[in-house]
Amino acid sequence: GQVRVGALNNELLLLAGGSERMRVKSDGNVEIKDGDLIIETAGHGINFHAHGGSNVNLLDDYEEGTWNPQLGGDSSDPTQSYATQNGTYTKIGNWVFLSFDVDMAASGISSGSGNLELKNLPFNKDAIQSYGVLFTAGYSANLGTDNPTDAYMNANSSFAYLMKRTNTNTGGDDYCSASAITNSSRIIGSLSYRTA
């Protein structure tokens, strides 16, 4: 193969193997013709509007993947098996966006106890204990009155407490109960939070 650097119409071209791979255009834009931009050293990334060597605008992480969501209690977990247990995530910088679908099987009831938790999150929350999470329940079934509407996460935790609205006028919340998990209980939703 070969590597050639040339210019055309005030644009810088990078060719490899006889084909154009990258072009620096006269308007300042950089185009990658074929392939990906890969940063191989951890801690480095793309810095947007860097000033004075600051890394406050550094995008140094992007990741997509799957995870294995679980429902449990902070005292004991339900023991029935899952009919569906799907989760996906996208992590951009220090924020993670999760979607999940958990559906309990229709056999072997052994409800958990304590407050209901969404467990086994793929990333721990940051060191701030707050309601700094965004939760949406797209669908829930067979949970009695414990249909989750909000979530709460402790600092550095890998689980989220699922909350229910107790007063629609004041917006009051309370913990959902793990004992509400029965045969065919199902929750489909999404969760996003700042990671450690």
Side-chain angles (χ1 to χ4, degrees):
Q2 59 179 314
V3 175
R4 292 189 293 150
V5 177
L8 176 66
N9 298 326
N10 296 319
E11 298 177 350
L12 182 65
L13 309 179
L14 175 63
L15 299 95
S19 299
E20 181 182 342
R21 300 301 182 189
M22 188 172 72
R23 180 178 294 213
V24 181
K25 303 191 73 174
S26 58
D27 59 8
N29 292 332
V30 177
E31 296 178 351
I32 298 176
K33 296 295 183 180
D34 185 20
D36 300 315
L37 175 62
I38 300 172
I39 300 168
E40 293 188 353
T41 304
H44 294 272
I46 301 171
N47 202 331
F48 298 92
H49 309 293
H51 298 287
S54 172
N55 286 332
V56 296
N57 298 312
L58 183 68
L59 176 60
D60 60 357
D61 189 19
Y62 179 88
E63 183 179 339
E64 295 180 8
T66 59
W67 62 292
N68 195 38
Q70 300 171 3
L71 295 176
D74 59 3
S75 296
S76 67
D77 293 339
T79 59
Q80 63 254 69
S81 60
Y82 291 88
T84 303
Q85 200 173 10
N86 297 324
T88 61
Y89 70 84
T90 301
K91 185 174 184 290
I92 304 172
N94 57 8
W95 273 91
V96 62
F97 303 87
L98 310 175
S99 64
F100 62 92
D101 181 357
V102 284
D103 186 6
M104 306 308 288
S107 62
I109 290 181
S110 178
S111 297
S113 61
N115 299 318
L116 180 60
E117 298 173 338
L118 178 64
K119 293 187 167 189
N120 200 35
L121 304 182
F123 302 96
N124 284 6
K125 191 182 181 304
D126 64 4
I128 300 173
Q129 181 169 328
S130 69
Y131 283 87
V133 299
L134 302 174
F135 175 79
T136 302
Y139 175 83
S140 59
N142 299 315
L143 292 164
T145 60
D146 282 21
N147 294 302
T149 57
D150 298 298
Y152 172 83
M153 290 184 72
N154 289 326
N156 304 308
S157 64
S158 62
F159 66 90
Y161 288 111
L162 299 184
M163 314 293 289
K164 61 184 176 181
R165 187 61 50 88
T166 57
N167 188 319
T168 56
N169 294 324
T170 64
D173 284 345
D174 195 5
Y175 294 98
C176 293
S177 175
S179 63
I181 300 297
T182 62
N183 282 345
S184 303
S185 291
R186 187 174 190 181
I187 304 173
I188 302 172
S190 60
L191 178 72
S192 63
Y193 56 95
R194 189 180 177 100
T195 65

